[in-house]
Amino acid sequence: QDEEQASIWFRMAAEQGHAQAQFNLGVYYQNKSGNGDEDQIKNALQGERWYLLAAKQNNARAQSVLASWYEEDCNINGGNWFQACDRVEFWYRKAAGNGDAYAQMWIGCNAYIQQRYDEAINWFTEAAKSGHKSFGLSWPGHFRATPQAMIDACKLFKRGVFDSNDNGDNSVTTV
């Protein structure tokens, strides 16, 4: 009941253009359970609607969530993450530009795998400045990993199976 009451207040603020309220409504609909597939689809569409409204107001979290959703759809339809659908990269780039550390890592990994190393290092540096602690990277020390180890680490990062290396040697931990 508290969640339902909160959604009423969020909706009122969201309808007046408040980006954080729009984002919160997106989360609400994303997590809302339903009675069957039709309700789930309806909730997902509502969530996407509110995330889009927030994202268009430069809410970095909404932009990153949208990119993640579209990425999942792209992967289901036979794509792979580093050759993603246009809207995936579009929203990750928007989120990265607005300071979202996960999006910065995603763009950095995408650039690294495509051998755009200077761009990758710039995005990894931005992610580190934003507080992201992926695969044991420690800036400004950069990394001492082989190119293949970095590609593997980026793939693990994207799949969510990386392990942050706490031994301080700036190496890439693989599983």
Side-chain angles (χ1 to χ4, degrees):
Q1 183 175 348
D2 290 337
E3 194 173 285
E4 196 65 37
Q5 185 66 34
S7 75
I8 292 168
W9 289 104
F10 285 137
R11 179 175 298 282
M12 288 175 19
E15 288 173 349
Q16 293 179 13
H18 191 275
Q20 187 61 46
Q22 292 167 339
F23 173 80
N24 290 340
L25 266 181
V27 172
Y28 170 76
Y29 281 107
Q30 179 182 357
N31 295 327
K32 187 176 180 183
S33 59
N35 297 322
D37 290 342
E38 191 172 312
D39 281 350
Q40 293 294 351
I41 291 169
K42 187 172 130 182
N43 290 337
L45 290 172
Q46 279 295 313
E48 180 184 31
R49 174 180 175 251
W50 290 110
Y51 282 136
L52 273 168
L53 288 170
K56 287 177 181 178
Q57 293 191 66
N58 291 323
N59 183 297
R61 291 175 61 202
Q63 292 166 337
S64 191
V65 168
L66 280 173
S68 178
W69 273 18
Y70 295 147
E71 180 180 11
E72 185 176 318
D73 184 48
C74 190
N75 289 337
I76 289 170
N77 292 314
N80 55 47
W81 76 272
F82 54 88
Q83 295 173 338
C85 301
D86 289 342
R87 63 185 175 172
V88 175
E89 183 150 352
F90 172 81
W91 285 115
Y92 273 134
R93 282 197 177 276
K94 287 280 226 184
N98 285 314
D100 185 89
Y102 180 88
Q104 292 165 337
M105 285 301 300
W106 190 95
I107 296 294
C109 282
N110 191 38
Y112 195 93
I113 288 170
Q114 294 177 11
Q115 299 180 356
R116 297 188 324 260
Y117 301 121
D118 289 342
E119 180 185 356
I121 289 171
N122 288 338
W123 282 115
F124 291 155
T125 301
E126 288 303 310
K129 288 178 186 174
S130 296
H132 205 287
K133 296 180 175 50
S134 288
F135 46 82
L137 298 179
S138 174
W139 261 255
H142 300 294
F143 48 83
R144 292 190 313 253
T146 65
Q148 186 58 51
M150 283 301 296
I151 289 170
D152 292 344
C154 283
K155 288 178 181 177
L156 292 171
F157 160 76
K158 181 58 198 86
R159 289 195 346 236
V161 295
F162 65 89
D163 184 12
S164 187
N165 185 340
D166 292 329
N167 64 11
D169 68 359
N170 299 331
S171 64
V172 175
T173 301
T174 59
V175 289

Short mmCIF file of all heavy atoms in Angstrom, two decimals, residues 55-103:
data_model
loop_
_atom_site.label_atom_id
_atom_site.label_comp_id
_atom_site.label_asym_id
_atom_site.label_seq_id
_atom_site.Cartn_x
_atom_site.Cartn_y
_atom_site.Cartn_z
N ALA A 55 14.83 10.35 -19.21
CA ALA A 55 16.06 10.33 -19.99
C ALA A 55 16.17 11.55 -20.90
O ALA A 55 17.26 12.11 -21.07
CB ALA A 55 16.13 9.04 -20.81
N LYS A 56 15.06 11.97 -21.45
CA LYS A 56 15.07 13.14 -22.33
C LYS A 56 15.38 14.43 -21.57
O LYS A 56 15.73 15.44 -22.17
CB LYS A 56 13.74 13.26 -23.07
CG LYS A 56 13.60 12.19 -24.15
CD LYS A 56 12.26 12.24 -24.83
CE LYS A 56 12.16 11.14 -25.88
NZ LYS A 56 10.83 11.13 -26.52
N GLN A 57 15.28 14.36 -20.23
CA GLN A 57 15.65 15.49 -19.38
C GLN A 57 17.05 15.29 -18.79
O GLN A 57 17.40 15.89 -17.78
CB GLN A 57 14.63 15.68 -18.27
CG GLN A 57 13.27 16.10 -18.78
CD GLN A 57 12.39 16.52 -17.63
OE1 GLN A 57 12.68 17.51 -16.96
NE2 GLN A 57 11.35 15.75 -17.37
N ASN A 58 17.82 14.41 -19.39
CA ASN A 58 19.21 14.13 -19.00
C ASN A 58 19.37 13.45 -17.66
O ASN A 58 20.38 13.61 -16.99
CB ASN A 58 20.07 15.40 -19.08
CG ASN A 58 20.28 15.83 -20.50
OD1 ASN A 58 20.44 15.00 -21.40
ND2 ASN A 58 20.26 17.13 -20.74
N ASN A 59 18.39 12.66 -17.25
CA ASN A 59 18.53 11.83 -16.06
C ASN A 59 19.41 10.64 -16.44
O ASN A 59 18.98 9.75 -17.18
CB ASN A 59 17.16 11.37 -15.55
CG ASN A 59 17.24 10.57 -14.28
OD1 ASN A 59 17.83 9.49 -14.27
ND2 ASN A 59 16.66 11.07 -13.22
N ALA A 60 20.66 10.65 -15.97
CA ALA A 60 21.64 9.65 -16.38
C ALA A 60 21.22 8.23 -16.01
O ALA A 60 21.46 7.28 -16.78
CB ALA A 60 23.01 9.97 -15.77
N ARG A 61 20.60 8.06 -14.85
CA ARG A 61 20.17 6.71 -14.44
C ARG A 61 19.10 6.19 -15.39
O ARG A 61 19.12 5.02 -15.78
CB ARG A 61 19.69 6.73 -13.00
CG ARG A 61 20.84 6.96 -12.02
CD ARG A 61 20.38 7.10 -10.59
NE ARG A 61 19.69 5.91 -10.11
CZ ARG A 61 18.85 5.92 -9.09
NH1 ARG A 61 18.59 7.04 -8.44
NH2 ARG A 61 18.27 4.81 -8.70
N ALA A 62 18.16 7.04 -15.79
CA ALA A 62 17.12 6.62 -16.73
C ALA A 62 17.74 6.28 -18.08
O ALA A 62 17.35 5.29 -18.72
CB ALA A 62 16.07 7.72 -16.89
N GLN A 63 18.70 7.06 -18.52
CA GLN A 63 19.37 6.79 -19.79
C GLN A 63 20.08 5.44 -19.75
O GLN A 63 20.01 4.65 -20.69
CB GLN A 63 20.37 7.91 -20.10
CG GLN A 63 19.69 9.23 -20.39
CD GLN A 63 20.62 10.41 -20.36
OE1 GLN A 63 21.70 10.38 -19.73
NE2 GLN A 63 20.22 11.50 -21.02
N SER A 64 20.75 5.16 -18.64
CA SER A 64 21.47 3.89 -18.50
C SER A 64 20.50 2.70 -18.44
O SER A 64 20.76 1.65 -19.03
CB SER A 64 22.35 3.94 -17.25
OG SER A 64 23.24 2.85 -17.23
N VAL A 65 19.39 2.86 -17.73
CA VAL A 65 18.38 1.79 -17.65
C VAL A 65 17.82 1.51 -19.04
O VAL A 65 17.69 0.36 -19.46
CB VAL A 65 17.25 2.14 -16.66
CG1 VAL A 65 16.08 1.18 -16.81
CG2 VAL A 65 17.78 2.10 -15.23
N LEU A 66 17.49 2.56 -19.78
CA LEU A 66 16.96 2.37 -21.14
C LEU A 66 17.97 1.64 -22.01
O LEU A 66 17.62 0.70 -22.74
CB LEU A 66 16.63 3.72 -21.78
CG LEU A 66 15.32 4.35 -21.38
CD1 LEU A 66 15.22 5.75 -21.97
CD2 LEU A 66 14.14 3.50 -21.82
N ALA A 67 19.22 2.06 -21.95
CA ALA A 67 20.26 1.39 -22.74
C ALA A 67 20.34 -0.08 -22.39
O ALA A 67 20.43 -0.94 -23.26
CB ALA A 67 21.61 2.08 -22.51
N SER A 68 20.28 -0.38 -21.10
CA SER A 68 20.34 -1.76 -20.64
C SER A 68 19.15 -2.57 -21.15
O SER A 68 19.30 -3.71 -21.59
CB SER A 68 20.39 -1.79 -19.11
OG SER A 68 20.40 -3.09 -18.63
N TRP A 69 17.97 -1.98 -21.09
CA TRP A 69 16.77 -2.67 -21.60
C TRP A 69 16.90 -2.95 -23.09
O TRP A 69 16.64 -4.04 -23.56
CB TRP A 69 15.54 -1.81 -21.37
CG TRP A 69 14.88 -1.97 -20.05
CD1 TRP A 69 15.42 -2.52 -18.92
CD2 TRP A 69 13.56 -1.57 -19.71
NE1 TRP A 69 14.52 -2.46 -17.90
CE2 TRP A 69 13.36 -1.88 -18.36
CE3 TRP A 69 12.54 -0.96 -20.41
CZ2 TRP A 69 12.17 -1.62 -17.70
CZ3 TRP A 69 11.36 -0.69 -19.75
CH2 TRP A 69 11.17 -1.03 -18.41
N TYR A 70 17.31 -1.91 -23.85
CA TYR A 70 17.43 -2.07 -25.29
C TYR A 70 18.54 -3.05 -25.65
O TYR A 70 18.44 -3.80 -26.61
CB TYR A 70 17.66 -0.72 -25.96
CG TYR A 70 16.49 0.24 -25.81
CD1 TYR A 70 16.70 1.60 -25.70
CD2 TYR A 70 15.18 -0.21 -25.77
CE1 TYR A 70 15.64 2.49 -25.57
CE2 TYR A 70 14.11 0.66 -25.64
CZ TYR A 70 14.34 2.00 -25.54
OH TYR A 70 13.29 2.88 -25.41
N GLU A 71 19.59 -3.04 -24.83
CA GLU A 71 20.69 -3.97 -25.04
C GLU A 71 20.22 -5.41 -24.88
O GLU A 71 20.56 -6.29 -25.67
CB GLU A 71 21.81 -3.67 -24.05
CG GLU A 71 23.01 -4.57 -24.16
CD GLU A 71 24.07 -4.22 -23.14
OE1 GLU A 71 23.80 -3.41 -22.21
OE2 GLU A 71 25.16 -4.77 -23.26
N GLU A 72 19.42 -5.64 -23.86
CA GLU A 72 18.87 -6.98 -23.63
C GLU A 72 18.03 -7.41 -24.83
O GLU A 72 18.15 -8.53 -25.32
CB GLU A 72 18.03 -6.99 -22.36
CG GLU A 72 17.53 -8.36 -21.97
CD GLU A 72 16.77 -8.32 -20.66
OE1 GLU A 72 17.23 -7.64 -19.72
OE2 GLU A 72 15.72 -8.98 -20.58
N ASP A 73 17.21 -6.52 -25.33
CA ASP A 73 16.38 -6.80 -26.50
C ASP A 73 17.26 -7.07 -27.72
O ASP A 73 17.00 -7.99 -28.50
CB ASP A 73 15.44 -5.64 -26.77
CG ASP A 73 14.48 -5.92 -27.92
OD1 ASP A 73 13.87 -7.01 -27.92
OD2 ASP A 73 14.35 -5.07 -28.81
N CYS A 74 18.30 -6.28 -27.88
CA CYS A 74 19.22 -6.45 -29.01
C CYS A 74 19.90 -7.82 -28.93
O CYS A 74 20.03 -8.51 -29.93
CB CYS A 74 20.24 -5.33 -28.99
SG CYS A 74 21.26 -5.24 -30.47
N ASN A 75 20.33 -8.21 -27.72
CA ASN A 75 20.99 -9.50 -27.54
C ASN A 75 20.04 -10.66 -27.82
O ASN A 75 20.43 -11.66 -28.42
CB ASN A 75 21.56 -9.63 -26.13
CG ASN A 75 22.77 -8.75 -25.92
OD1 ASN A 75 23.43 -8.36 -26.87
ND2 ASN A 75 23.03 -8.41 -24.68
N ILE A 76 18.80 -10.52 -27.39
CA ILE A 76 17.81 -11.57 -27.62
C ILE A 76 17.60 -11.77 -29.11
O ILE A 76 17.41 -12.88 -29.59
CB ILE A 76 16.47 -11.23 -26.92
CG1 ILE A 76 16.65 -11.37 -25.41
CG2 ILE A 76 15.33 -12.12 -27.42
CD1 ILE A 76 15.48 -10.83 -24.60
N ASN A 77 17.69 -10.68 -29.85
CA ASN A 77 17.45 -10.73 -31.28
C ASN A 77 18.71 -11.00 -32.09
O ASN A 77 18.79 -10.65 -33.26
CB ASN A 77 16.76 -9.44 -31.75
CG ASN A 77 15.36 -9.35 -31.20
OD1 ASN A 77 14.62 -10.32 -31.26
ND2 ASN A 77 15.01 -8.20 -30.67
N GLY A 78 19.71 -11.60 -31.47
CA GLY A 78 20.88 -12.08 -32.20
C GLY A 78 22.06 -11.14 -32.27
O GLY A 78 23.08 -11.49 -32.84
N GLY A 79 21.96 -9.97 -31.69
CA GLY A 79 23.10 -9.07 -31.69
C GLY A 79 24.09 -9.49 -30.62
O GLY A 79 23.91 -10.48 -29.93
N ASN A 80 25.19 -8.77 -30.52
CA ASN A 80 26.06 -8.97 -29.37
C ASN A 80 26.41 -7.60 -28.82
O ASN A 80 26.29 -6.59 -29.49
CB ASN A 80 27.30 -9.81 -29.71
CG ASN A 80 28.09 -9.25 -30.86
OD1 ASN A 80 28.36 -8.06 -30.91
ND2 ASN A 80 28.45 -10.10 -31.79
N TRP A 81 26.83 -7.57 -27.56
CA TRP A 81 26.86 -6.31 -26.82
C TRP A 81 27.80 -5.27 -27.39
O TRP A 81 27.54 -4.10 -27.32
CB TRP A 81 27.15 -6.56 -25.35
CG TRP A 81 28.55 -6.87 -25.03
CD1 TRP A 81 29.14 -8.09 -25.03
CD2 TRP A 81 29.57 -5.96 -24.65
NE1 TRP A 81 30.44 -7.99 -24.69
CE2 TRP A 81 30.74 -6.69 -24.45
CE3 TRP A 81 29.61 -4.58 -24.48
CZ2 TRP A 81 31.93 -6.10 -24.07
CZ3 TRP A 81 30.80 -4.00 -24.10
CH2 TRP A 81 31.93 -4.76 -23.90
N PHE A 82 28.92 -5.66 -27.99
CA PHE A 82 29.84 -4.64 -28.46
C PHE A 82 29.56 -4.22 -29.89
O PHE A 82 30.20 -3.34 -30.42
CB PHE A 82 31.31 -5.05 -28.28
CG PHE A 82 31.69 -6.37 -28.89
CD1 PHE A 82 32.10 -6.45 -30.19
CD2 PHE A 82 31.63 -7.52 -28.14
CE1 PHE A 82 32.44 -7.66 -30.75
CE2 PHE A 82 31.98 -8.73 -28.70
CZ PHE A 82 32.38 -8.79 -30.00
N GLN A 83 28.59 -4.83 -30.53
CA GLN A 83 28.09 -4.37 -31.83
C GLN A 83 26.59 -4.14 -31.65
O GLN A 83 25.77 -4.71 -32.33
CB GLN A 83 28.39 -5.40 -32.91
CG GLN A 83 29.87 -5.58 -33.17
CD GLN A 83 30.16 -6.72 -34.12
OE1 GLN A 83 29.36 -7.62 -34.31
NE2 GLN A 83 31.33 -6.67 -34.72
N ALA A 84 26.28 -3.31 -30.69
CA ALA A 84 24.92 -3.15 -30.21
C ALA A 84 24.06 -2.36 -31.19
O ALA A 84 24.55 -1.66 -32.06
CB ALA A 84 24.94 -2.47 -28.86
N CYS A 85 22.77 -2.46 -30.96
CA CYS A 85 21.80 -1.66 -31.70
C CYS A 85 22.11 -0.18 -31.49
O CYS A 85 22.64 0.21 -30.46
CB CYS A 85 20.40 -1.96 -31.21
SG CYS A 85 19.89 -3.68 -31.34
N ASP A 86 21.73 0.62 -32.45
CA ASP A 86 22.02 2.06 -32.37
C ASP A 86 21.48 2.71 -31.11
O ASP A 86 22.14 3.53 -30.49
CB ASP A 86 21.43 2.79 -33.59
CG ASP A 86 22.19 2.48 -34.87
OD1 ASP A 86 23.33 2.00 -34.78
OD2 ASP A 86 21.63 2.72 -35.94
N ARG A 87 20.27 2.37 -30.70
CA ARG A 87 19.69 3.04 -29.54
C ARG A 87 20.39 2.64 -28.25
O ARG A 87 20.37 3.41 -27.29
CB ARG A 87 18.19 2.84 -29.46
CG ARG A 87 17.74 1.43 -29.29
CD ARG A 87 16.25 1.34 -29.36
NE ARG A 87 15.85 -0.06 -29.31
CZ ARG A 87 14.63 -0.47 -29.20
NH1 ARG A 87 13.65 0.41 -29.12
NH2 ARG A 87 14.36 -1.74 -29.16
N VAL A 88 21.01 1.48 -28.21
CA VAL A 88 21.77 1.07 -27.02
C VAL A 88 22.95 2.02 -26.84
O VAL A 88 23.12 2.63 -25.78
CB VAL A 88 22.26 -0.40 -27.14
CG1 VAL A 88 23.15 -0.76 -25.97
CG2 VAL A 88 21.10 -1.35 -27.25
N GLU A 89 23.75 2.15 -27.86
CA GLU A 89 24.91 3.03 -27.76
C GLU A 89 24.48 4.49 -27.57
O GLU A 89 25.10 5.23 -26.82
CB GLU A 89 25.83 2.90 -28.97
CG GLU A 89 27.07 3.74 -28.81
CD GLU A 89 28.30 3.21 -29.50
OE1 GLU A 89 28.28 2.08 -30.02
OE2 GLU A 89 29.30 3.93 -29.50
N PHE A 90 23.42 4.90 -28.24
CA PHE A 90 22.92 6.26 -28.09
C PHE A 90 22.66 6.58 -26.62
O PHE A 90 23.13 7.59 -26.09
CB PHE A 90 21.64 6.47 -28.92
CG PHE A 90 20.97 7.78 -28.67
CD1 PHE A 90 21.42 8.93 -29.30
CD2 PHE A 90 19.89 7.87 -27.79
CE1 PHE A 90 20.80 10.16 -29.06
CE2 PHE A 90 19.27 9.09 -27.56
CZ PHE A 90 19.73 10.24 -28.19
N TRP A 91 21.89 5.70 -25.94
CA TRP A 91 21.54 5.99 -24.55
C TRP A 91 22.71 5.80 -23.60
O TRP A 91 22.86 6.56 -22.62
CB TRP A 91 20.32 5.19 -24.11
CG TRP A 91 19.07 5.74 -24.71
CD1 TRP A 91 18.24 5.14 -25.61
CD2 TRP A 91 18.49 7.03 -24.46
NE1 TRP A 91 17.20 5.98 -25.94
CE2 TRP A 91 17.33 7.15 -25.25
CE3 TRP A 91 18.85 8.11 -23.66
CZ2 TRP A 91 16.53 8.29 -25.26
CZ3 TRP A 91 18.04 9.24 -23.66
CH2 TRP A 91 16.90 9.32 -24.45
N TYR A 92 23.59 4.81 -23.86
CA TYR A 92 24.78 4.69 -23.01
C TYR A 92 25.68 5.91 -23.16
O TYR A 92 26.24 6.40 -22.18
CB TYR A 92 25.57 3.41 -23.32
CG TYR A 92 25.10 2.20 -22.55
CD1 TYR A 92 24.92 0.97 -23.19
CD2 TYR A 92 24.85 2.26 -21.18
CE1 TYR A 92 24.50 -0.14 -22.50
CE2 TYR A 92 24.43 1.14 -20.48
CZ TYR A 92 24.26 -0.06 -21.14
OH TYR A 92 23.85 -1.17 -20.44
N ARG A 93 25.82 6.43 -24.37
CA ARG A 93 26.64 7.62 -24.57
C ARG A 93 26.03 8.84 -23.85
O ARG A 93 26.76 9.64 -23.25
CB ARG A 93 26.86 7.92 -26.04
CG ARG A 93 27.89 7.02 -26.67
CD ARG A 93 28.42 7.55 -27.99
NE ARG A 93 29.45 6.68 -28.48
CZ ARG A 93 30.72 6.73 -28.12
NH1 ARG A 93 31.13 7.63 -27.25
NH2 ARG A 93 31.60 5.88 -28.61
N LYS A 94 24.73 8.97 -23.94
CA LYS A 94 24.06 10.06 -23.21
C LYS A 94 24.32 9.92 -21.71
O LYS A 94 24.67 10.89 -21.04
CB LYS A 94 22.55 10.04 -23.46
CG LYS A 94 22.17 10.50 -24.83
CD LYS A 94 22.18 12.00 -24.89
CE LYS A 94 20.94 12.50 -25.57
NZ LYS A 94 20.98 13.94 -25.71
N ALA A 95 24.11 8.71 -21.18
CA ALA A 95 24.30 8.46 -19.74
C ALA A 95 25.75 8.69 -19.34
O ALA A 95 26.04 9.28 -18.30
CB ALA A 95 23.85 7.04 -19.39
N ALA A 96 26.68 8.21 -20.17
CA ALA A 96 28.11 8.39 -19.89
C ALA A 96 28.46 9.88 -19.84
O ALA A 96 29.17 10.33 -18.94
CB ALA A 96 28.96 7.67 -20.93
N GLY A 97 27.93 10.63 -20.79
CA GLY A 97 28.18 12.06 -20.82
C GLY A 97 27.59 12.79 -19.62
O GLY A 97 28.06 13.86 -19.24
N ASN A 98 26.58 12.18 -19.01
CA ASN A 98 25.95 12.76 -17.82
C ASN A 98 26.49 12.17 -16.53
O ASN A 98 25.89 12.33 -15.47
CB ASN A 98 24.43 12.60 -17.90
CG ASN A 98 23.82 13.56 -18.88
OD1 ASN A 98 24.16 14.73 -18.89
ND2 ASN A 98 22.94 13.08 -19.74
N GLY A 99 27.62 11.44 -16.62
CA GLY A 99 28.32 11.00 -15.42
C GLY A 99 27.98 9.62 -14.89
O GLY A 99 28.42 9.25 -13.80
N ASP A 100 27.22 8.81 -15.63
CA ASP A 100 26.89 7.47 -15.17
C ASP A 100 28.10 6.55 -15.35
O ASP A 100 28.54 6.29 -16.47
CB ASP A 100 25.69 6.91 -15.95
CG ASP A 100 25.24 5.57 -15.42
OD1 ASP A 100 24.39 5.55 -14.52
OD2 ASP A 100 25.75 4.53 -15.91
N ALA A 101 28.66 6.08 -14.23
CA ALA A 101 29.91 5.30 -14.26
C ALA A 101 29.76 3.99 -15.02
O ALA A 101 30.67 3.57 -15.75
CB ALA A 101 30.41 5.04 -12.84
N TYR A 102 28.64 3.29 -14.85
CA TYR A 102 28.44 2.04 -15.58
C TYR A 102 28.45 2.30 -17.09
O TYR A 102 29.10 1.58 -17.85
CB TYR A 102 27.13 1.36 -15.17
CG TYR A 102 26.91 0.07 -15.91
CD1 TYR A 102 27.41 -1.12 -15.40
CD2 TYR A 102 26.24 0.03 -17.13
CE1 TYR A 102 27.24 -2.32 -16.09
CE2 TYR A 102 26.07 -1.14 -17.83
CZ TYR A 102 26.57 -2.32 -17.31
OH TYR A 102 26.41 -3.49 -18.00
N ALA A 103 27.74 3.33 -17.52
CA ALA A 103 27.70 3.67 -18.95
C ALA A 103 29.09 4.04 -19.45
O ALA A 103 29.48 3.67 -20.56
CB ALA A 103 26.72 4.81 -19.19
#
